Amino acid sequence: MKRDFIKEKMPVIYGYICVIFCMILLGIEMKIPYEYVVFVWFIITVALVFAEVREYLIKWGFYRDFLHRINMLDQKYLISEMVETPAFYEGQILCDALYEIGKAMQEKINDMESSVSEFKEYIEMWIHEVKIPISNMMLMNYNKNMDMEKQKLQLMKLYYYVEQILFYARADAPQKDYLLKKVSLESIVNKVMVENKDLLIGNRFQIEKENLGIEVYTDSKWLEFILGQIVNNSVKYKKADEGYLGFSGKEEKNIVWLFIEDHGIGVEKSDIGRVFEKSFTGKNGRRVKEATGMGLFICKKLCDKMGHRIFIESEKGEYTRVGIGFGRNKYYELNG
């Protein structure tokens, strides 16, 4: 530390030498008595040495204690809690920086622990849900039930749950896992209808489409998943033997809207503001065993990541309408 301190103070030493040299030249030029020059030089030298030695001792004491404490700690990120703030400015900056770094790191750790805990809870719930179609298929196999429609329905439920956990993981991933490209709303909706045709036919759904020949910037896979979740909810919460699903597009100046409407049991007014919350099922969820409260939560996270808007409006016993908004600006064109 001594060598580093001296090396750090070399500009001061060079400045001191220049000042003394100039003072000697000035004394010769002005014919100042030699004794006065020596006296001033002595005072300056003593003051400078005293100030530097004092600074060295203060810093040496602080950093010696700092290094000792950090070597003794198993959890070294706690060092900011163990070191007292010193009197010199650089040490104060160091302590403040350590405190802010430690605080930010602790917040990050808390967020990660919370995320891991939430994911663990979701996995436990997911395993419970995914066991149901597996058990049903095993029972059908045991009873030699060869009803292909029923088996297909159970396979679709398995596919639905596997897709859900896959996109849940993607929604929480820090890296960008999507690609915004120009796609047709009609092609996306048609693909979702084909993927869910057995579910929709089995539940006798009437499908209507209007003004879907619009192109938007989105990730087709992510949007297909979002629409699949909304379609499954419409099936899950239908109110009669027959169901209805309507898809329509609307162009505005800076945004394109895709509306998905069903004529199911609707959502309670007290629940409508919480439908995107994690694991929220509301009053309807208590009536439907398969409700997990995760589908719309994941849809909202995916829309947020892609820069899309999403909202839900509903009238109890009449309809539920989901709106997804796609931006129309240069940002999307440049990233498309």
Side-chain angles (χ1 to χ4, degrees):
M1 182 175 175
K2 291 179 182 178
R3 290 181 179 178
D4 292 336
F5 184 81
I6 293 172
K7 186 177 180 180
E8 182 183 305
K9 293 298 179 179
M10 286 308 296
V12 177
I13 295 172
Y14 292 146
Y16 165 77
I17 294 171
C18 289
V19 168
I20 297 302
F21 182 73
C22 291
M23 189 177 67
I24 293 171
L25 290 178
L26 185 63
I28 295 171
E29 182 69 23
M30 299 182 65
K31 299 180 180 180
I32 297 174
Y34 175 75
E35 293 81 4
Y36 290 158
V37 174
V38 172
F39 178 73
V40 173
W41 167 79
F42 177 77
I43 295 298
I44 293 174
T45 303
V46 169
L48 180 64
V49 170
F50 176 79
E52 296 300 330
V53 169
R54 180 179 177 276
E55 181 183 356
Y56 172 78
L57 291 175
I58 292 173
K59 290 185 176 181
W60 176 76
F62 169 75
Y63 288 118
R64 180 190 61 178
D65 181 65
F66 180 86
L67 292 174
H68 175 71
R69 289 179 183 274
I70 203 169
N71 288 329
M72 293 292 292
L73 282 172
D74 292 329
Q75 298 174 326
K76 300 190 185 303
Y77 61 88
L78 296 174
I79 186 63
S80 60
E81 305 292 333
M82 304 295 294
V83 176
E84 294 183 3
T85 304
F88 61 97
Y89 186 61
E90 294 92 332
Q92 293 171 10
I93 293 175
L94 174 63
C95 288
D96 290 344
L98 286 174
Y99 174 78
E100 292 298 328
I101 292 169
K103 181 181 176 183
M105 187 198 67
Q106 191 59 50
E107 290 173 354
K108 185 68 175 178
I109 290 173
N110 291 339
D111 289 343
M112 292 296 293
E113 287 179 347
S114 176
S115 178
V116 169
S117 177
E118 289 177 357
F119 189 71
K120 181 176 178 291
E121 290 175 6
Y122 175 57
I123 289 292
E124 291 172 353
M125 180 181 67
W126 181 85
I127 291 172
H128 174 74
E129 296 298 329
V130 84
K131 281 171 64 178
I132 297 174
I134 294 174
S135 299
N136 289 339
M137 292 182 69
M138 291 178 66
L139 184 60
M140 283 189 283
N141 184 59
Y142 179 79
N143 293 329
K144 297 183 179 179
N145 184 344
M146 301 306 293
D147 189 331
M148 297 304 295
E149 291 302 318
K150 289 184 177 180
Q151 289 192 17
K152 190 180 291 185
L153 179 61
Q154 299 306 316
L155 282 172
M156 285 185 65
K157 288 182 179 180
L158 275 175
Y159 178 80
Y160 170 81
Y161 287 127
V162 171
E163 280 279 282
Q164 192 177 80
I165 196 169
L166 174 63
F167 278 89
Y168 178 85
R170 287 176 176 173
D172 278 338
Q175 69 274 17
K176 184 176 177 180
D177 193 32
Y178 59 89
L179 180 62
L180 300 180
K181 286 186 176 181
K182 187 181 285 188
V183 295
S184 166
L185 286 179
E186 189 163 18
S187 66
I188 298 291
V189 170
N190 287 342
K191 191 168 183 180
V192 173
M193 292 299 97
V194 171
E195 289 177 351
N196 293 275
K197 65 178 181 179
D198 294 322
L199 183 65
L200 295 170
I201 292 172
N203 286 274
R204 302 172 65 190
F205 262 74
Q206 175 190 351
I207 309 297
E208 289 187 2
K209 295 183 288 184
E210 181 183 356
N211 194 31
L212 295 180
I214 309 171
E215 291 186 327
V216 297
Y217 283 96
T218 188
D219 183 286
S220 57
K221 281 288 185 183
W222 284 33
L223 183 58
E224 287 166 19
F225 170 80
I226 292 168
L227 295 183
Q229 296 294 306
I230 296 170
V231 168
N232 271 271
N233 279 352
S234 297
V235 173
K236 196 182 298 181
Y237 298 113
K238 69 173 188 171
K239 66 179 178 181
D241 293 336
E242 295 183 358
Y244 169 83
L245 263 176
F247 297 86
S248 61
K250 181 181 179 182
E251 295 184 83
E252 295 182 1
K253 184 178 180 181
N254 294 317
I255 194 168
V256 173
W257 288 102
L258 171 63
F259 298 106
I260 308 98
E261 182 176 327
D262 66 49
H263 294 167
I265 62 177
V267 183
E268 296 279 354
K269 285 186 178 180
S270 58
D271 293 342
I272 196 71
R274 301 185 60 194
V275 292
F276 293 117
E277 292 181 12
K278 186 174 184 178
S279 301
F280 180 78
T281 55
K283 294 181 180 179
N284 288 342
R286 299 186 190 102
R287 303 172 193 164
V288 180
K289 293 181 180 179
E290 296 176 353
T292 63
M294 295 300 295
L296 290 178
F297 168 76
I298 298 171
C299 290
K300 179 68 166 62
K301 293 195 76 171
L302 296 179
C303 283
D304 289 345
K305 271 208 160 188
M306 293 188 291
H308 301 339
R309 303 181 193 176
I310 185 169
F311 73 89
I312 290 183
E313 57 184 18
S314 181
E315 186 69 37
K316 183 65 179 175
E318 296 295 328
Y319 72 91
T320 299
R321 182 183 295 114
V322 181
I324 302 173
F326 308 87
R328 301 182 68 177
N329 51 48
K330 293 181 179 179
Y331 169 80
Y332 285 98
E333 293 180 9
L334 289 173
N335 285 276

